[in-house]
Amino acid sequence: MSTPKHMQLDPEVAPTRVETASGSLAALVAGPTSGAESGAGVLLVPGYTGSKEDFLHLLPLLARAGRRAAAIDLRGQYESGGPEDESAYSIDALAA
C-alpha cells in the first residue's frame, strides 16, 4: 500500500483503511506481539505536510511494547483522498 520502495513493513505492521464520517483514510496498524496488551491504544497523526509513513519506525516499537497503534494519512495526504475545497483542510474540519 504505502511502503517506500527502499523499506519493508515490519511483521507487526499492516496497511489498512479506516472509514470515517468524512471519508476513507489510509492507515498503518500494529498490534502487540506478545498477545497481551499493556496499555491504551495509540493514534499517530502526522502534521500538515507529513504522512503515516513518518511513523514507520515507531509502530513496531509500540507493538513490541504491548501497545496497539495506528498511524493515519489525514484527508488529502498521500493515500487519503480529499476535496478541492480548501475549507475541508482547516483545523476545525480535520478535527471533526
Side-chain angles (χ1 to χ4, degrees):
M1 225 176 129
S2 61
T3 308
K5 291 181 180 174
H6 65 281
M7 301 186 90
Q8 296 290 329
L9 289 179
D10 283 70
E12 301 88 356
V13 181
T16 191
R17 297 208 64 89
V18 177
E19 300 304 321
T20 71
S22 63
S24 180
L25 302 178
L28 295 171
V29 295
T33 56
S34 65
E37 294 183 37
S38 66
V42 178
L43 176 61
L44 303 165
V45 181
Y48 276 132
T49 61
S51 72
K52 63 192 172 302
E53 285 72 23
D54 293 347
F55 305 106
L56 278 177
H57 298 293
L58 185 57
L59 285 163
L61 296 175
L62 289 165
R64 292 176 201 144
R67 299 292 180 116
R68 184 163 308 282
I72 61 170
D73 284 339
L74 291 172
R75 178 186 310 138
Q77 288 178 329
Y78 189 34
E79 294 182 318
S80 293
E84 295 291 323
D85 180 9
E86 290 182 20
S87 68
Y89 302 96
S90 69
I91 291 175
D92 290 337
L94 290 171

